[in-house]
């Protein structure tokens, strides 16, 4: 693995991956193609931007000319595709961008890889890998019991998950039809440093620090399976190095939690670390149950035994450790937080949550 194209490397998971890849693969060259949407932030990679092995390109994965030019200039042998519109609530209020980036963008990358790697025959260069980073949301919603395996039927229920499911099918079709050397990972909810505060955990941390209300959708009993972001990035490296072409690997932390448990945990940790609110009340007093998300999936839970047994990956951070590390990171990086809570964030927040 020498010449890597990472898409969406300025986002939450992508930036954690770029940092880990440069550390773990001393001989690699890494190009990060990112459009810098509201979710992409150059500050997420400020610490490595001067690394001679790293090049940042501002651009859109839907721009076929640009993507093909990069393949020809850089002779990529590896693609790790993170770029996406990733927030379910935004996909409900504005699905068009999700269709464009998640479906058309993935198609554009697949075509560029096909042209570069399989110019005249279906012979696959053994070193090339196209790893598509996907989500457990493609499997839909679980009842009280059961786990998503790699064989669970797709049943996406939001425009976001439907667009990711479409992109997964395209990736799979390029493997079967053209022999493109693809790999796919479907991961559960990530949390950790550089998480944009539209998502549950960073939103709750920021609001709780500011003494703002903490919006919990519905009855707060929806379940997510949480994984520390660096563990997800380690899993992606493992799949790149040891995964079998054409295969999908489910990645998860075996950490099922109800949303309300997460919110209460964050409140209690902050009370201990920074003291009670000015009113002397605990932060749990800020919790408000609000109107539910339309089509809100009830429960996600991943069976990660395939990646564990076949490739030897294990998460290394427990939820108790990960949430403390995450909260410490937000406390230690107030400038990053202030930078992302800009005018466009305030506008989004007011539209979603009113003036709470
Ligand atoms: P994110 O929203 O934080 O970052 C997305 C990045 O993609 C941003 O840097 C953005 O600027 C870039 N981008 C968006 N549209 C682009 C375009 N057209 N061209 C180039 N760049 C573009 O997302 P994330 O949470 O880091 O998720 C990364 C990937 O992982 C996504 O594919 C998502 O579906 C998947 N995933 C996320 C989670 C999670 O819990 N966050 C879990 C499983 C899978
Ligand atoms: O499962 C993987 C997915 O996890 C990824 O594919 C998505 O990109 C990622 O955004 C995440 O999706 P969720 O919808 O699960 O994450 P979110 O942080 O938006 O919400 C987590 C849970 O918390 C969900 O049940 C909705 C709830 N929630 C969320 C917000 C933002 C609230 O109760 N209040 C909130 O304000």
């Amino acid at each position: 693995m020498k010449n890597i194209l990472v898409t969406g490397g300025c986002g939450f998971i992508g930036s954690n991956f770029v940092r880990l890849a440069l550390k773990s693969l001393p001989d690699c060259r890494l190009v990060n193609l990112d459009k810098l949407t509201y979710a992409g932030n150059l500050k997420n990679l400020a610490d490595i931007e001067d690394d001679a092995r790293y090049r940042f390109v501002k651009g859109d994965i839907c721009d076929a000319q640009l993507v093909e030019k990069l393949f020809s200039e850089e002779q990529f042998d590896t693609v790790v595709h993170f770029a996406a519109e990733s927030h379910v609530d935004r996909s409900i209020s504005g699905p068009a961008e999700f269709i464009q980036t998640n479906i058309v963008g993935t198609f554009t990358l697949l075509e560029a890889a096909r042209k570069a790697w399989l110019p005249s025959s279906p012979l696959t260069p053994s070193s090339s890998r196209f790893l598509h980073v996907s989500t457990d949301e493609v499997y839909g919603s679980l009842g009280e019991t059961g786990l998503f395996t790699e064989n669970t039927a797709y049943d996406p229920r939001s425009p976001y998950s439907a667009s990711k499911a479409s992109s997964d099918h395209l990736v799979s079709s390029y493997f079967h039809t053209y022999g493109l050397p693809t790999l796919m990972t479907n991961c559960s909810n990530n949390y950790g440093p550089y998480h944009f505060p539209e998502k549950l955990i960073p939103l709750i941390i920021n609001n709780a620090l500011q003494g703002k209300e903490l919006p919990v959708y519905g009855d707060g009993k929806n379940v997510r399976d949480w994984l520390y972001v660096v563990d997800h990035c380690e899993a992606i490296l493992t799949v790149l190095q040891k995964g079998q072409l054409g295969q999908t690997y489910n990645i998860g932390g075996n950490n099922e939690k109800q949303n309300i448990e997460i919110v209460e945990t964050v409140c209690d940790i902050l009370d201990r670390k920074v003291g009670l609110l000015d009113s002397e009340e605990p932060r749990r007093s800020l919790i408000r149950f609000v109107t539910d998300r339309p089509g809100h999936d009830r429960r996600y839970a991943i069976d990660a035994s395939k990646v564990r047994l076949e490739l030897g990956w294990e998460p290394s951070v427990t939820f108790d450790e990960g949430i403390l590390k995450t909260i410490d990171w937000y406390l230690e990086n107030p400038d990053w937080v202030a930078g992302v809570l800009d005018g466009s964030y305030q506008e989004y927040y007011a539209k979603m949550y009113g003036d709470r």
Side-chain angles (χ1 to χ4, degrees):
M1 198 165 29
K2 294 208 178 58
N3 292 323
I4 309 175
L5 171 64
V6 169
T7 68
C10 293
F12 164 47
I13 307 174
S15 60
N16 279 284
F17 179 81
V18 167
R19 187 171 291 102
L20 181 71
L22 288 172
K23 197 170 101 194
S24 309
L25 307 169
D27 295 333
C28 77
R29 169 163 173 78
L30 193 154
V31 176
N32 171 15
L33 172 62
D34 195 300
K35 187 179 170 183
L36 296 181
T37 68
Y38 78 91
N41 188 346
L42 284 175
K43 291 202 180 110
N44 292 4
L45 288 171
D47 53 326
I48 59 90
E49 68 189 2
D50 294 330
D51 190 314
R53 298 167 298 157
Y54 174 73
R55 173 182 173 197
F56 171 68
V57 177
K58 182 173 189 281
D60 191 330
I61 56 166
C62 301
D63 180 345
Q65 244 185 331
L66 169 65
V67 174
E68 283 174 25
K69 181 169 140 283
L70 287 176
F71 264 86
S72 134
E73 274 173 20
E74 297 281 351
Q75 298 291 300
F76 299 123
D77 51 37
T78 304
V79 175
V80 188
H81 174 32
F82 293 95
E85 289 293 334
S86 71
H87 190 36
V88 174
D89 292 324
R90 290 190 194 245
S91 84
I92 295 168
S93 52
E97 279 298 313
F98 289 72
I99 305 307
Q100 186 62 18
T101 286
N102 298 3
I103 306 177
V104 178
T106 301
F107 166 71
T108 307
L109 288 168
L110 287 165
E111 272 295 275
R114 180 169 82 88
K115 287 182 192 163
W117 293 347
L118 311 170
S120 55
S121 78
L123 280 182
T124 301
S126 59
S127 59
S128 297
R129 296 285 181 273
F130 186 112
L131 191 150
H132 176 60
V133 179
S134 194
T135 169
D136 60 357
E137 300 208 8
V138 297
Y139 300 123
S141 184
L142 290 165
E144 294 285 307
T145 58
L147 301 172
F148 295 134
T149 74
E150 289 79 1
N151 297 320
T152 302
Y154 274 33
D155 181 24
R157 290 151 42 97
S158 71
Y160 163 67
S161 53
S163 66
K164 290 297 290 187
S166 307
S167 65
D168 291 9
H169 290 317
L170 280 171
V171 171
S172 176
S173 78
Y174 270 63
F175 171 75
H176 290 292
T177 306
Y178 303 112
L180 195 79
T182 62
L183 294 159
M184 190 144 58
T185 53
N186 290 74
C187 188
S188 61
N189 286 63
N190 286 215
Y191 68 102
Y194 304 100
H195 206 181
F196 191 78
E198 64 187 349
K199 308 280 170 65
L200 180 71
I201 289 182
L203 184 142
I204 295 299
I205 295 173
N206 280 316
N207 280 18
L209 278 171
Q210 292 172 34
K212 286 172 74 173
E213 291 186 0
L214 309 177
V216 176
Y217 298 163
D219 63 3
K221 292 191 177 152
N222 299 64
V223 172
R224 297 293 182 265
D225 180 355
W226 295 93
L227 180 66
Y228 190 64
V229 62
V230 180
D231 277 334
H232 181 193
C233 296
E234 291 278 8
I236 290 171
L237 277 181
T238 303
V239 172
L240 269 179
Q241 286 161 344
K242 300 193 206 161
Q244 210 184 316
L245 294 183
Q247 292 290 304
T248 288
Y249 296 89
N250 279 0
I251 318 287
N254 201 16
N255 275 310
E256 284 185 57
K257 306 267 180 221
Q258 290 187 343
N259 294 335
I260 188 67
E261 278 180 79
I262 297 276
V263 175
E264 288 176 350
T265 301
V266 169
C267 287
D268 296 349
I269 294 172
L270 284 175
D271 285 349
R272 279 203 310 276
K273 282 190 181 278
V274 300
L276 297 177
L277 295 167
D278 291 346
S279 60
E280 293 299 315
E281 285 191 283
R283 284 180 170 71
R284 287 185 184 211
S285 63
L286 299 169
I287 294 173
R288 299 289 179 273
F289 291 93
V290 301
T291 309
D292 209 352
R293 170 186 281 174
H296 195 175
D297 290 335
R298 189 64 173 171
R299 175 172 164 259
Y300 303 148
I302 281 276
D303 176 351
S305 50
K306 181 174 171 182
V307 68
R308 209 180 54 240
L309 298 173
E310 293 184 14
L311 309 187
W313 171 84
E314 293 273 0
S316 64
V317 178
T318 65
F319 185 78
D320 289 350
E321 292 163 351
I323 194 70
L324 282 172
K325 278 157 88 88
T326 302
I327 289 175
D328 284 343
W329 187 86
Y330 281 88
L331 290 172
E332 285 157 14
N333 289 277
D335 291 348
W336 183 90
V337 175
V340 295
L341 300 185
D342 60 6
S344 75
Y345 179 82
Q346 304 304 341
E347 210 176 294
Y348 164 79
Y349 192 90
K351 223 156 76 188
M352 272 297 292
Y353 302 101
D355 58 4
R356 60 178 85 246

